[in-house]
Amino acid sequence: EAMDLSKLELLVGGQCRGAVMAASVNGNTTYGAFATNTDGLDTVTTWKLPRLGLTQAQVAARGLALCLTLAPPCAALSDFCLGGGACRHAFLNSAESCCPTGDSLFTSP
């Protein structure tokens, strides 16, 4: 079954709210938002990048290049993403019925 890509979510440090100064996906400027949720005793902060609108064929052909410009106190990806050198992520389709998660190693230019 084909899966489009509607939204990307990254698990980030709570102190990083507002640290994203600019973002682009495959060279196109985009805007994300932070959300903080409490699950029992744990507070979790995510940075959500909605409205990607990419088909499976587009992702297969070009991949997904996410570029972030970050500011203190989370100017480095290792500070921004929980997990050190990797970012815990979730990909969601437009129906939000499919949500592969994993850890991606991100690199600095």
Side-chain angles (χ1 to χ4, degrees):
E1 178 181 330
M3 179 184 155
D4 64 337
L5 179 57
S6 176
K7 182 170 33 172
L8 168 66
E9 296 185 4
L10 299 177
L11 185 62
V12 300
Q15 75 280 10
C16 298
R17 290 184 72 88
V20 178
M21 303 311 297
S24 68
V25 173
N26 294 342
N28 298 311
T29 300
T30 190
Y31 301 94
F34 287 89
T36 301
N37 298 302
T38 303
D39 180 18
L41 299 176
D42 295 325
T43 298
V44 176
T45 301
T46 55
W47 184 69
K48 299 179 181 194
L49 193 56
R51 299 177 303 280
L52 292 174
L54 298 171
T55 66
Q56 184 180 31
Q58 288 172 316
V59 174
R62 295 186 59 193
L64 180 75
L66 172 63
C67 183
L68 299 175
T69 301
L70 301 171
C74 301
L77 281 174
S78 57
D79 297 326
F80 184 69
C81 293
L82 294 182
C87 288
R88 187 94 178 132
H89 64 267
F91 297 109
L92 291 92
N93 64 359
S94 54
E96 295 197 13
S97 62
C98 187
C99 183
T101 62
D103 294 314
S104 290
L105 297 177
F106 288 87
T107 59
S108 297

